[in-house]
Amino acid sequence: MRYITLGKTGLTISRIGFGGIPIQKIDAAGTRKLFLQMKAAGINFVDTARGYTVSESYIGEAIDGMRGDFVLATKSMSRDKAGMAKDIDTSLANLRTDYIDLYQVHNPNMAQLEQVIGEGGALEALIEAKAAGKIRHIGLTAHSLEVFEKALSLDWVETIMFPYNIVETQGEELMRKCTEKNIGFIAMKPLAGGALDDAALAMRFIANNPDVTVVIPGMAEEREIEQNISAVCDTTSLTAEENAKIEQIRNTLGTQFCRRCNYCAPCTVGINISSVFLFDGYLTRYDLSGWAKERYGAMEKKASDCIGCGICETRCPYNLPIRQMLKNAAERFDK
Ligand code: SF4
Ligand code: SF4
């Protein structure tokens, strides 16, 4: 395993961490098995969120007797002081610990960030919790470059989490600034929300950028841990063949694709927007049309049910033209 210092936090962490979203699909016993495997392999950085339903509590159960072997990071969407204070206490209880190594402000937009740092904002609770030893460091996660840039100017921000992968390189310039300012950079969405299917290449691409402190793929299976470790720990440069494949992926995917973050939900008429785009991706890119059509066919609300209200588009951090994309998907599925 390769280890690195997480920016100004001074924490020593493995270059590959554990993204806590997918364990929502398994159970506490399965999570414990994964954590035993991670401990044996030397992975010590774990990221989760208050918003990932059972993820914090599964992790809390999984690290029983192993708390000292892991660096725990979690995050909250609370923007005011009272809400953040309550969330920190809930996270501590769920994670069954008396301290959390890194507590992050979860994906604020610019207006919400102002609220966080303003009077009575969430930052006051984070600073108090830090002084009380409940949390040790404070970070922030973002999806927009505007928020990323602003975060770089805030002296309480010790780490920044932002999407980074083969097709989402828009943060690279600001990532370099993280290195200059000794802010830890945590790369999320290494597979672009499931749009990239070559996980080994995706990890190699990220690990080859020295501005990435740690990458946190979501992992729910033992073989994923093994595969990701070997890709991240391979210190050789990308080959000409790998670079050609990266170019080909970029040409195929472009930038207008869904990352499955679900910030657009809920849809006014109940369409599961990210699932429509997932099945559409399998239909168009991965030659799995039978599977995709079957799954799409089972959806209660179809892409064609969209009434065009546009509310989802105001919530999408990637400014995707969701209405048009749904129209295109509906045409392809209805063929
Ligand atoms: S524009 Fe369509 S998909 Fe978006 S919220 Fe409205 S009905 Fe749902
Ligand atoms: S449409 Fe936008 S907000 Fe909705 S899941 Fe996809 S990327 Fe996220």
Side-chain angles (χ1 to χ4, degrees), residues 61 108 111 120 167:
E61 228 176 301
V167 287

Side-chain angles (χ1 to χ4, degrees), residues 10 23 27 60 75 81 85 87 110 112 115 149 155 192 213 215-216 229 235 243 251 296 319 326:
I23 53 169
D27 56 18
K75 46 185 128 32
K81 183 178 179 182
D87 272 356
M110 283 302 272
Q112 291 164 340
Q115 193 190 345
E149 190 161 21
D155 59 6
T213 315
V215 53
I216 49 162
I229 289 175
T235 51
N243 278 319
N251 292 338
Y296 179 80
N319 297 320
L326 285 175

Side-chain angles (χ1 to χ4, degrees), residues 16 40 85 98 101 133 164 181 193 215 227 230 233 273 298 334:
I16 178 169
D98 53 6
D101 299 278
Y164 183 60
K181 289 174 162 268
V215 53
Q227 278 171 2
S230 71
C233 292
I273 298 170
D334 292 345

Side-chain angles (χ1 to χ4, degrees), residues 229-293:
I229 289 175
S230 71
V232 169
C233 292
D234 181 350
T235 51
T236 57
S237 302
L238 292 166
T239 63
E241 202 182 319
E242 284 175 318
N243 278 319
K245 190 145 187 231
I246 285 168
E247 267 321 298
Q248 191 196 348
I249 292 169
R250 286 179 177 152
N251 292 338
T252 311
L253 267 180
T255 52
Q256 289 209 331
F257 63 93
C258 173
R259 280 77 166 174
R260 304 192 62 210
C261 61
N262 280 328
Y263 288 121
C264 53
C267 158
T268 310
V269 297
I271 302 167
N272 186 330
I273 298 170
S274 64
S275 290
V276 171
F277 294 149
L278 174 72
F279 302 147
D280 192 37
Y282 279 108
L283 184 75
T284 54
R285 289 196 296 275
Y286 301 134
D287 204 19
L288 283 166
S289 59
W291 180 88
K293 281 183 179 162

Side-chain angles (χ1 to χ4, degrees), residues 264 266-271 273 305-313 315 322-323 326:
C264 53
C267 158
T268 310
V269 297
I271 302 167
I273 298 170
D305 289 317
C306 172
I307 56 168
C309 69
I311 287 173
C312 53
E313 292 181 10
R315 302 185 192 126
I322 297 174
R323 288 172 285 189
L326 285 175

Side-chain angles (χ1 to χ4, degrees), residues 315-334:
R315 302 185 192 126
C316 176
Y318 302 97
N319 297 320
L320 293 182
I322 297 174
R323 288 172 285 189
Q324 187 56 49
M325 288 169 67
L326 285 175
K327 221 176 195 175
N328 298 345
E331 277 167 20
R332 280 190 278 271
F333 278 112
D334 292 345

Side-chain angles (χ1 to χ4, degrees), residues 129-150:
K130 194 173 173 181
K134 291 181 176 181
I135 65 170
R136 296 203 168 156
H137 301 281
I138 304 172
L140 178 143
T141 79
H143 280 82
S144 86
L145 283 172
E146 202 185 7
V147 174
F148 189 166
E149 190 161 21
K150 171 80 181 169

